[in-house]
Amino acid sequence: MTSLTPSTAKRESAKSSTPSLLDKLASVLPKGYKFVVHHLSTPPTKTEPLCSAPPGERPDKTFAEKHFLAVSIDVKDQVASTKPALPTTESKTKRVQAFAIEVFIFTTAFQTTFFVSKADSTGYLQLLGLPKGTPSPIREVCSTFLAYLLEHRYRKNTQAVINLFARAQGQYLYPGSVDNKGKHVLDDWGLVRWWCRVLNPLLETHKQDLWERAKGYLIVPGLEQSEMRAMIPRTSRSAKNWAIDQPLERISHYTDEFDWVPPRCLIPKYPDDPKCRFRDELDEEASKWKENMGTWKSVKTLAQFWDMMAFRQECSSGRLTGFVWLVFDPPGKAKQSQDAQSTQTTELATPNASFSASNVGSFSASFESMPDTLPPSTPPRRRVDLSSRTPQASPLKLNLEASVSSTPSKKNFDPTEEKKKKKKKLTGKIIPRAPRVKTEQRSKLIKRPTRTAYYYWPEQGRGEKVVDDNDFKRIGEVLLHLDFSTLDKATSSTRRWIGEAGMGSKWGQEVIGKRSVLGQSVTNGTGGTGTANVLGVVKKKGSISAGDGAADGNGTPHQPAVNVMSSNLVKRKRKDSKVGDGPTPPGTEGAPKINVLGAVKKKKADPGQ
């Protein structure tokens, strides 16, 4: 466990006073409705690096942390009573999962990446009977959960990236839920728009003291820029916060250290990612020599990679796949990138005698004669001040190397001296060792350091249950083998999954929504329900309001229960007299009126025809 400095302890106490996940979820869920939250997470575990290192460089040490958030609701079930004396029905509740989201967190010494792996719903959220006009709880919970993880994984001078790909599918996490008629499955266009609306609040409400700049990026292979821009939410700051581009070169720390980085070293390897599958195919077709050089056989640049993605099966034939990034830069990151660009420009602008006018012809001739089969090699590191960055080696490793270097080495070491030493013979009475009785279950998961040079794992940002990576995969596999096609099957599947994930213990936290719901009925002073006056909101000049009616004998005007448009507000168009219209015959004033079809007037034919 690392020791805390006074500034770090002050920051930890400030973060402990921040609202918990349940408080944040209660502020966005509809008021008066109960939800049950199950939050599962794993500790940071060493994993394979997301991006390949350039030739001659060591890959980044990477840790992975997984989170799974499931939200359930209680649905009333009317069960007929079996007692003859009580013919009424008893109201029981069934718990069923409504939606869930899975997020992977990859951390290095330079960056924290939040990858939204999967998100799905069962379609049973409509059984709550939310009023019309209520914001979608699924969208609000996903946005709040990502903002919560982003806040509690903040590290100083470290960039944060939220990345996902949107591809429409009938079901991701809940098997059989596509057969539920209440589930609304979005198409490709609608799903990309939906995720942009989910992530847009994170750009507009980010903390200025933590992040200097926040930018969203969207790219859909195969679409024009105007079509992709139509998917971005239309707000006052959307033009500034969003860009139709990809930020792979910007979020890679290799581009700050080298003048040129191979495209293969910029594409991350996420699980079940379309661009990762294309990257693996390019690695297979390239030779081992080209793979070591960091280049491919057919694709040479990053722009060409995205152009080829438009012809993939997942991005063509009527299918669309949207890739979304949110990049949060810490203070000083923008200035550092500008200094690196100015350094590169100064080096290119340095005068040199070899670029004189007399040598241009010979230089161009020799350059054209060079074979085009050799790929460009990675140049040496760019001389940029990287003192503000987190060191690549851990402090423990640095201390160990320093102690080893300070230890005097033995001279004239003879390996036969150890063999000459005789082993000490054990003598005396043999005393058996008493066995250790295991009285409680000890977990070594929570005994890991909270903060290292590669990750930050605060106690408040963990799940309700912390399991290892193998148990997390097992719990995910259990969910994928259940059935959510009907309500009865979904309730039994929910009960089984909660029992398997909890391993026999009761878990789950209840949340009561606190957000006021629009569209609820408003009661007037007499206890009745009033009707919203829509037509009487705006009065035209010189017109009579809809509530003004005839007065009774006492001079008190009648107040209708429902606001009805008065007849003098509607002007009918004057019609010409038709055949059959005339004065009412005497004695027929009280008779009911009957609509009689009058004579039909034929149009006179033109004599010239």
Side-chain angles (χ1 to χ4, degrees):
M1 186 70 67
T2 57
S3 60
L4 297 178
T5 60
S7 59
T8 308
K10 184 178 181 181
R11 185 166 57 249
E12 293 289 341
S13 62
K15 288 188 178 181
S16 61
S17 61
T18 56
S20 63
L21 178 60
L22 299 180
D23 297 335
K24 289 181 175 293
L25 292 178
S27 62
V28 299
L29 291 174
K31 186 176 182 179
Y33 291 88
K34 186 181 77 171
F35 298 85
V36 183
V37 177
H38 297 86
H39 185 192
L40 204 67
S41 69
T42 64
T45 308
K46 190 176 180 181
T47 184
E48 295 293 329
L50 288 180
C51 298
S52 301
E57 295 295 323
R58 296 180 61 182
D60 294 336
K61 191 175 181 180
T62 309
F63 287 82
E65 183 183 350
K66 301 178 181 180
H67 288 259
F68 187 86
L69 182 73
V71 179
S72 306
I73 60 175
D74 292 337
V75 181
K76 292 183 179 181
D77 183 26
Q78 299 292 336
V79 181
S81 177
T82 56
K83 297 180 181 180
L86 299 173
T88 59
T89 58
E90 298 178 358
S91 178
K92 294 184 178 181
T93 57
K94 292 182 177 180
R95 180 160 298 176
V96 60
Q97 285 197 14
F99 56 93
I101 180 173
E102 187 180 42
V103 181
F104 296 161
I105 304 177
F106 300 94
T107 57
T108 63
F110 305 92
Q111 190 181 85
T112 302
T113 304
F114 302 86
F115 176 68
V116 182
S117 175
K118 297 175 183 177
D120 196 8
S121 65
T122 58
Y124 298 107
L125 188 62
Q126 62 172 353
L127 299 179
L128 278 181
L130 298 177
K132 190 176 181 180
T134 305
S136 172
I138 304 177
R139 185 175 63 192
E140 298 293 334
V141 168
C142 292
S143 180
T144 304
F145 184 57
L146 290 175
Y148 177 80
L149 294 178
L150 179 65
E151 179 183 359
H152 289 83
R153 294 303 182 277
Y154 169 77
R155 291 183 294 163
K156 190 177 180 180
N157 298 330
T158 306
Q159 190 183 58
V161 178
I162 298 178
N163 189 13
L164 61 90
F165 69 92
R167 181 184 59 195
Q169 193 170 328
Q171 55 195 21
Y172 272 104
L173 293 171
Y174 298 108
S177 60
V178 68
D179 298 332
N180 180 20
K181 296 181 180 179
K183 184 174 182 178
H184 179 54
V185 181
L186 296 175
D187 57 355
D188 298 322
W189 290 77
L191 187 62
V192 176
R193 289 194 192 98
W194 188 84
W195 274 114
C196 290
R197 290 197 300 267
V198 169
L199 300 177
N200 189 60
L202 277 71
L203 297 175
E204 297 185 351
T205 61
H206 72 279
K207 296 183 178 181
Q208 300 290 341
D209 56 340
L210 300 181
W211 310 108
E212 181 182 10
R213 182 176 57 181
K215 192 79 173 179
Y217 297 87
L218 171 65
I219 184 170
V220 183
L223 293 186
E224 300 292 337
Q225 285 199 2
S226 58
E227 297 174 328
M228 288 186 283
R229 191 164 293 278
M231 299 179 178
I232 297 176
R234 296 182 180 180
T235 59
S236 58
R237 302 176 58 184
S238 61
K240 180 182 178 182
N241 293 338
W242 288 88
I244 305 300
D245 199 1
Q246 51 83 23
L248 295 181
E249 294 178 349
R250 177 184 168 188
I251 63 180
S252 176
H253 71 92
Y254 294 123
T255 56
D256 296 336
E257 303 172 6
F258 299 99
D259 294 330
W260 177 81
V261 181
R264 182 177 177 272
C265 304
L266 300 175
I267 301 172
K269 295 180 289 186
Y270 295 124
D272 193 24
D273 192 12
K275 61 180 181 293
C276 179
R277 283 190 285 269
F278 186 34
R279 177 187 184 277
D280 294 339
E281 292 182 8
L282 293 175
D283 289 343
E284 292 178 359
E285 73 178 14
S287 61
K288 191 67 178 177
W289 175 77
K290 285 184 176 291
E291 185 176 347
N292 293 335
M293 293 297 295
T295 58
W296 292 315
K297 183 177 180 180
S298 57
V299 178
K300 303 297 183 182
T301 61
L302 200 58
Q304 189 177 2
F305 174 85
W306 289 107
D307 292 340
M308 295 287 291
M309 277 291 297
F311 299 97
R312 301 278 297 173
Q313 182 181 2
E314 296 163 318
C315 303
S316 61
S317 302
R319 300 294 305 272
L320 294 177
T321 303
F323 299 89
V324 188
W325 296 267
L326 296 190
V327 182
F328 298 88
D329 291 330
K333 174 69 175 178
K335 183 179 180 181
Q336 185 178 358
S337 60
Q338 291 176 1
D339 294 342
Q341 292 178 2
S342 62
T343 304
Q344 181 182 7
T345 306
T346 306
E347 292 177 357
L348 293 176
T350 304
N352 194 346
S354 61
F355 289 94
S356 59
S358 59
N359 298 332
V360 171
S362 60
F363 177 77
S364 60
S366 61
F367 181 77
E368 292 177 358
S369 61
M370 293 175 61
D372 55 353
T373 57
L374 293 177
S377 59
T378 304
R381 290 181 180 270
R382 185 186 301 163
R383 296 183 177 273
V384 183
D385 185 16
L386 300 178
S387 59
S388 60
R389 290 183 174 275
T390 309
Q392 292 189 7
S394 61
L396 181 61
K397 186 177 180 181
L398 292 176
N399 297 335
L400 181 61
E401 292 177 354
S403 62
V404 171
S405 61
S406 61
T407 305
S409 59
K410 295 183 178 180
K411 296 181 180 180
N412 301 327
F413 175 73
D414 189 5
T416 59
E417 293 181 358
E418 293 186 355
K419 297 181 180 179
K420 293 179 180 179
K421 295 181 180 180
K422 297 181 180 180
K423 294 183 179 181
K424 186 179 180 180
K425 294 183 178 180
L426 300 176
T427 59
K429 186 179 179 181
I430 299 177
I431 302 176
R433 182 179 298 176
R436 294 182 179 180
V437 180
K438 187 176 181 181
T439 58
E440 60 181 358
Q441 185 177 3
R442 300 176 182 178
S443 177
K444 296 182 180 180
L445 299 177
I446 60 177
K447 293 184 179 181
R448 302 192 180 188
T450 303
R451 184 187 296 271
T452 65
Y454 304 98
Y455 65 84
Y456 177 50
W457 190 44
E459 184 177 357
Q460 193 174 7
R462 305 173 189 176
E464 181 187 359
K465 271 193 170 297
V466 181
V467 297
D468 59 2
D469 192 61
N470 294 329
D471 288 338
F472 189 89
K473 292 180 180 178
R474 178 186 61 83
I475 294 171
E477 289 294 330
V478 169
L479 185 63
L480 295 179
H481 287 81
L482 299 177
D483 191 1
F484 292 85
S485 57
T486 62
L487 182 59
D488 293 335
K489 294 180 180 179
T491 53
S492 61
S493 299
T494 301
R495 184 169 58 254
R496 180 184 174 186
W497 181 85
I498 293 175
E500 290 283 346
M503 289 176 284
S505 61
K506 186 177 181 181
W507 69 299
Q509 296 172 316
E510 295 184 357
V511 181
I512 305 297
K514 298 180 181 179
R515 184 175 183 176
S516 57
V517 181
L518 299 178
Q520 290 180 341
S521 60
V522 182
T523 57
N524 51 23
T526 59
T529 303
T531 308
N533 185 4
V534 180
L535 297 176
V537 173
V538 180
K539 288 187 179 181
K540 290 188 177 181
K541 209 170 183 180
S543 62
I544 304 174
S545 63
D548 297 338
D552 56 6
N554 301 329
T556 306
H558 292 290
Q559 186 68 23
V562 181
N563 297 321
V564 184
M565 182 182 287
S566 181
S567 59
N568 53 8
L569 287 178
V570 182
K571 289 186 178 181
R572 294 187 177 181
K573 201 170 182 180
R574 187 175 179 180
K575 297 181 181 179
D576 299 334
S577 60
K578 297 180 181 179
V579 179
D581 296 343
T584 305
T588 60
E589 290 85 355
K593 295 183 179 181
I594 302 175
N595 297 327
V596 182
L597 182 63
V600 181
K601 221 175 180 182
K602 291 186 178 181
K603 191 176 180 180
K604 294 183 179 180
D606 192 359
Q609 294 180 352

